[in-house]
Amino acid sequence: MDALRLKQILEEVKSGDLPVDEALSSLRTLPYDDIGCAKLDLHRGIRTGFPEVVFCQGKTDEQAVDIVKRLAGHHTKVLATRVAPEVAGKIAAAVDGCTYHSLARILVVDKPGEKPDHAATDGRYVMVLCAGTADISVAEEAAITAESMGSRVERSYDVGVAGLHRLLDQRDRIMQANVLVVVAGMEGALPSVVGGMVSCPVIAVPTSVGYGASFGGLAALLAMLNSCAAGVAVMNIDNGFGAGYFAHLVNR
Amino acid sequence: MDALRLKQILEEVKSGDLPVDEALSSLRTLPYDDIGCAKLDLHRGIRTGFPEVVFCQGKTDEQAVDIVKRLAGHHTKVLATRVAPEVAGKIAAAVDGCTYHSLARILVVDKPGEKPDHAATDGRYVMVLCAGTADISVAEEAAITAESMGSRVERSYDVGVAGLHRLLDQRDRIMQANVLVVVAGMEGALPSVVGGMVSCPVIAVPTSVGYGASFGGLAALLAMLNSCAAGVAVMNIDNGFGAGYFAHLVNR
Amino acid sequence: MDALRLKQILEEVKSGDLPVDEALSSLRTLPYDDIGCAKLDLHRGIRTGFPEVVFCQGKTDEQAVDIVKRLAGHHTKVLATRVAPEVAGKIAAAVDGCTYHSLARILVVDKPGEKPDHAATDGRYVMVLCAGTADISVAEEAAITAESMGSRVERSYDVGVAGLHRLLDQRDRIMQANVLVVVAGMEGALPSVVGGMVSCPVIAVPTSVGYGASFGGLAALLAMLNSCAAGVAVMNIDNGFGAGYFAHLVNR
Amino acid sequence: MDALRLKQILEEVKSGDLPVDEALSSLRTLPYDDIGCAKLDLHRGIRTGFPEVVFCQGKTDEQAVDIVKRLAGHHTKVLATRVAPEVAGKIAAAVDGCTYHSLARILVVDKPGEKPDHAATDGRYVMVLCAGTADISVAEEAAITAESMGSRVERSYDVGVAGLHRLLDQRDRIMQANVLVVVAGMEGALPSVVGGMVSCPVIAVPTSVGYGASFGGLAALLAMLNSCAAGVAVMNIDNGFGAGYFAHLVNR
Amino acid sequence: MDALRLKQILEEVKSGDLPVDEALSSLRTLPYDDIGCAKLDLHRGIRTGFPEVVFCQGKTDEQAVDIVKRLAGHHTKVLATRVAPEVAGKIAAAVDGCTYHSLARILVVDKPGEKPDHAATDGRYVMVLCAGTADISVAEEAAITAESMGSRVERSYDVGVAGLHRLLDQRDRIMQANVLVVVAGMEGALPSVVGGMVSCPVIAVPTSVGYGASFGGLAALLAMLNSCAAGVAVMNIDNGFGAGYFAHLVNR
Amino acid sequence: MDALRLKQILEEVKSGDLPVDEALSSLRTLPYDDIGCAKLDLHRGIRTGFPEVVFCQGKTDEQAVDIVKRLAGHHTKVLATRVAPEVAGKIAAAVDGCTYHSLARILVVDKPGEKPDHAATDGRYVMVLCAGTADISVAEEAAITAESMGSRVERSYDVGVAGLHRLLDQRDRIMQANVLVVVAGMEGALPSVVGGMVSCPVIAVPTSVGYGASFGGLAALLAMLNSCAAGVAVMNIDNGFGAGYFAHLVNR
Amino acid sequence: MDALRLKQILEEVKSGDLPVDEALSSLRTLPYDDIGCAKLDLHRGIRTGFPEVVFCQGKTDEQAVDIVKRLAGHHTKVLATRVAPEVAGKIAAAVDGCTYHSLARILVVDKPGEKPDHAATDGRYVMVLCAGTADISVAEEAAITAESMGSRVERSYDVGVAGLHRLLDQRDRIMQANVLVVVAGMEGALPSVVGGMVSCPVIAVPTSVGYGASFGGLAALLAMLNSCAAGVAVMNIDNGFGAGYFAHLVNR
Amino acid sequence: MDALRLKQILEEVKSGDLPVDEALSSLRTLPYDDIGCAKLDLHRGIRTGFPEVVFCQGKTDEQAVDIVKRLAGHHTKVLATRVAPEVAGKIAAAVDGCTYHSLARILVVDKPGEKPDHAATDGRYVMVLCAGTADISVAEEAAITAESMGSRVERSYDVGVAGLHRLLDQRDRIMQANVLVVVAGMEGALPSVVGGMVSCPVIAVPTSVGYGASFGGLAALLAMLNSCAAGVAVMNIDNGFGAGYFAHLVNR
């Protein structure tokens, strides 16, 4: 509801084209869809051009199916994250055009005929790195998210700091990236090392991979927040989706 | 030391233009300057085109002066952060071209004749918001940093969520920004509200403003990490410099 | 056992109507019912006119059934909270007049012929808001509790701060409420935003909805305790019952 | 800016009494006063009838004086909290009608000729209890706040649970209160004991009084959040102001 | 191995009654029994007259059976704590004289013909209180432990502070106890209230009963450590055994 | 106010010796002395025979002097703890019979002519151990407290576990004690080692001595709560007074 | 890739024996093996002579089997840690020469014909101690690791500080060790006591054994970090592997 | 008091050369020196050949002087750590042969004529690295400690991971070290990176350098405990002394 639209409404009221009650109503009615358990923010999708995103964790299977179905009716692309395989099955049975990425636990609904517009980001790409094999699921959540939004994505996994040569060997691809997503659990040192090598923004994602004094990812989270390298910003523990989303905003 | 440079060295060795020992040496010698208490990373500045940055907290006055002086000899611009007024005085006495921003506690050294190249970012600007009066110092640290690196910066302070109309009134300027830095202490809610309004990346900075259960900024930090708005990444508590630096990388 | 009752007993002792031993006994006997595993506080219900409440979590099924049964014998209304469906079944099989609210996990026992006295609160109503779909269960615990105690309750769910227009659209109903219960997980920002819009008391309930650095609701709890809006008080994580109870005390 | 006002503006636009540009402006101009370091929310005071409140901690002396002065120009009553004695002196020198409550660290500015309207709350009163002598400063912050807003306030201090008879002796006054503020440090047990005695809402305020494992008030805060008595809501550590404000909202 | 015994050995060596090698051996051999997975401290039982105690949590079923069996061969009484029902069954099948207290999860092995010597504590008794029904299991662990060691034990359960009259009604029995064990979860306020009523030592046991901000018993633990009543000492969360053991040491 | 006294009052009411109003009053009047900033619990001292105790930390100098003075008028012995030297001076100037123990920061007021009745505990003694030189101040707080209450106290300081022979050398004195107070900072291991050597109760006191990951005594506190030796109960960090008080209750 | 190898390559380039492109490639190709989910660091094994180690927790069964299989093709010895019995079965079915240590949950793959070279450490041995029966699994992880790497290992289990004579009885073996691994849960006091007895390095390993305020091993971890004995370094909670590995490095 | 000595005493008793009482006394008398505030463990120094160490933090100036003086009378070398400059001055005035290392805050007392026996470690050296300029004080504490004990020490400071080339440039010296001490604050990533480069033991020391979410060194501590590189053990925050001591034990 920007100033332009507001002025236009007022002009129509002045000219009598728009009755006061209707103006009142349109000034008060906002573009969302109330389906009982949720108020779907249809306006956001329209405004930003991004796919709608449903966070499925903590929702019942029925709520997840209902919400995805409803959104798929309004949008050319819908993302659902943290989707367990059995929930993915239920959604796919109810909605056309579903693709399920099991490692990333993401389900994407594409309107038939639509295709990703990677061209939109030219040659610019997001690069997703992760420190260990156990971090791959979070890294893939980031990668699939950015790809679904239209970014080209490069990946390099298992490049943790205890074997620096594996990381240094990827130096060229890393240094030419437009923005980096760096995923690590345990001591979370990878973003600091990478941050010192590049001049593009680094989005650090701590994971809950580890045990004992990792305290569910707290160790990695604190390490990343205290990174001695400038140009590093941090996401919530295991929040691959947020990192992929943020990376696309920067890459766009 | 990229692949190109490496190839060139090898070619020179092959042609005999470069003796093996010299090649060996240049492959092993790295561009930093060891002044005893610090190994100044001269290479980074050259490579990225960014000003050098000195974090003064935890350094003795002498170390701060020495390091800034040395860097000023190699670079057209040097930034020093967390500079207490009396330290700023000592540096200014020893180095030419110092400007001290007292609210931000940042000291900038500009080589005579150099000027900021804001043109580099065209019309694109970083917008810095903060929730309360007590957050202004951190917000200014972000703003001055981004400006010193060459970004145009817009500011809007004291727009906390308890008086939403103050925030909504800035909606146009906020929505046209290229990247946002949002600074807040206490409950740290501002980035979530702003993140829901815009489609550009939001860099959230928790501050230590508050008391009791704010636990030195922990409450705001956790809130920002758990933001329900997509597109929000988080910096360390009170890390205005990091936010300004990151914002410029995105804005560039 | 107030001063009036005490005086009356003493008068009766003086007049000889009440033997000393009986007086002693009644001064020492307090109105509760010891059923072995619990000492049921019958006096509280009589004194306050509120239904008795049984917190079922941590009790064995048998204890839950026994306690509800015994209380139902003394009171016109009994509430049991945190009741798993299978426990609800066992109670309903043993006690007449049970209604089970499965979303809220509350079981209410009404003495036949009794009806809620919503009239008691005239037009005044408690309004219950929640930020996301996953918070509904806690919100319903609050709403059912307040309703069972006799308050009129209005609800508006999924109005989180990342889509402010959904919230602002409810502004009239929110501003006319007598007291608000605001439920949110993740960053817990909703109470601060709502608190800045209204002049009635806001009871904030953090939920354990979230992951990673939400630390089981700690992030939302800290955020609410640090709310920059005046007029916000906070309940324990997931304590919908406490919020509904408190809200009715205010609304009464 | 409620619906009524909105309709009225639209009617005036329709009738031609209000030019579109002026309407646009008044729809977009919000009632606050930007004094550089702060955006004063004048609208809130007008809307709610409550005094304006300035939280002085974390502000410079100059900012505190400026803000109080500006607000005193618009309102019949202004409250400033967390005011150190020397700051109070500076404000009093710049603004007429100041009263400084040193125990509570609150400064009140009354417009000459105005007087508190305690009558507004009839016989209903807020009762403020505290557990120990060291908690009195927080208790007074609550009491002065509620009194300044127009509530009658009763006090009973040093009634901690280790000497129950001191508390029980106040039973009548406590049970006839309309709302209670209960302040305690250390183990924070007082709200639970009081909560079991009364049927009115209890606002619990943990204080940072204690040492060792009180961790700056954390022990009392957690205890109060976990109170086994229903009807207890909790404020931030040492937040006497918030408790007094909330209590007045309930008592009104 | 006290000084007396040492002197005696030396005398025997001097007199030649004890060869040097045997003396050496007996000075170095200490009274424990190494069964591979454990070194059973037989000496402690002999020295203190107390039953041996086996903490079964974290041990395999086989280890638990082996250790109890071995100890039962040396002692007139053995206690095993944290014994799951199925483990109790396995032990009872392998060792004579077992009694299993299912609420307390304690298994006691009595040598046939031995009887508890409660007479040893004359009329003095340990009193065990608990705040709620869900705390009974920990309270029983304390009570059974003290009884097994020879103390007379009185119990009063579900006397939490939210219904003070239930507690005050037990005042006589409480005030005549020789030592108190007070068990409570949630806000852990009971020990402070009881501690203010009595002049005997109070052993406070926090339990993990609660949810949300009880953080597994942390809230109750901190509250008890910060008790404003003198004469209160604290055990680990859920450590009923330790409290019962300590209480018997005092009561003896 | 025990049952006997209650019966007696009732008998007097019955016989007409006590008018109803006076009975009412004496049933309601409780023995404390309200001096404004504090309600002095005179009854407790009378009932238990223990000296009154004033915790001075967090009180103003004036409050400390007033309270000690008032209590000294009613009691033969008064203890004040956490008394800074300058406060001790002010109290001593206002009250007769003061002795200040500077290491323990305890001030004792003895009524002229009264003497400690150590005989009351026969040969039984409390033994106070501490691990390091820096723990002595807390150990002395415990020792002076127990002595002031009438217990004989033995001390052995600087017997930390890193030099076991220093501890073992004290074995006889330790094993003959009636109750032990064991004070330690850093890793807090001493109570576990001592607890395994003796059969009397051990009161463990963590201190804030240490740095880094001792987190103000948290490390020692947690260690003591998790002691593998039975018979160990724990006090708050640095709470020497509480330990001495508890020890005397046991030793009595 | 050491300086020698670098010089050699350069010499070959100079002499024309090595074409520039091949040199470039060998300077950039690093010795690891990318199998998709992991980049196996083959170089490390070759360089250090140590067996390769696979941490199986958090990997899928398939990943674990693949990685062990691949490494077994390059190395004479492979270690896999945190191997559940069923995973061990799958690996053993796919790879020759597997031995599974079930207590330690370690699987070792030996190339046929290879034997451990304990001789390499002469008479020097690592000694592994643990405090309780429940700590044995972590202790064995350390012991098997050091043995697999070639160290002689001595063990002494269940020697916790609550029965010091069990520990002191092992004094000779302990004092002659070259390096100690000391494993303990609960209060974690054993390393401090042992550290005071010996002059060799002590590697302390906290375990998650305990309950309540052990907070998953945090209590033991903090205790060990704060050890008053010099010469104690600490591993992550339950990290027996790390301790065994470190101990071998010292013992070698 | 080893077995040999024990046998010898027994033989002397048998032969009558040693009276029983003298034997008893020497078996019970242990070699320490009780100076009131401390029991100096003279035996330890004699046994291990290491200098005695006095931790001065938390001791009064007088205690520090007394203890150093006394120890200097028995030993050829004494170390005092955490010595403030003014305390160092007082000690140097009272004891001969003092050298004060101000950066490390260590004071060393050498008996005249004695010299360090670096030869004892042949060519083997300890290498001390630190990440930033602000970590130098802790690094020096480690270096001076190891040197005072007789190790050769190499240093390389300001080699943090954000400028990897500074670290890689030191690779040769690092890889030839016998044991490494790696000191870092903030995110504490350096030990992981170094640990992946070397095959010798790495002792990691977190420092309290940082701000905000470094929480006094907690972030670095957790990172180091969770290091993905094997062969890394961890010291308490800022414990340079412990690291230097441990390193010398390994290097010896």
Side-chain angles (χ1 to χ4, degrees), chain D residues 161-162 164 168 186-187 189 192-193 196 211 213-215 218-219 222-223 225-229, chain E residues 161-162 164 168 186-187 189 192-193 196 211 213-215 218-219 222-223 225-229:
Chain D
V161 299
L164 266 190
L168 298 179
M186 302 177 81
E187 84 274 63
S192 292
V193 171
Y211 62 92
S214 90
F215 295 123
L218 178 63
L222 292 182
L225 287 167
N226 285 283
S227 176
C228 59
Chain E
V161 300
L164 266 190
L168 298 178
M186 303 177 79
E187 84 274 62
S192 292
V193 171
Y211 63 93
S214 91
F215 296 123
L218 178 63
L222 293 181
L225 287 166
N226 286 283
S227 177
C228 58

Side-chain angles (χ1 to χ4, degrees), chain D residues 53-57 79-83 105-106 141 145 241:
Chain D
V53 182
V54 186
F55 180 75
C56 290
Q57 190 174 302
L79 242 76
T81 64
R82 305 277 169 113
V83 188
R105 290 180 300 159
I106 287 182
E141 195 185 63
T145 298
F241 161 71

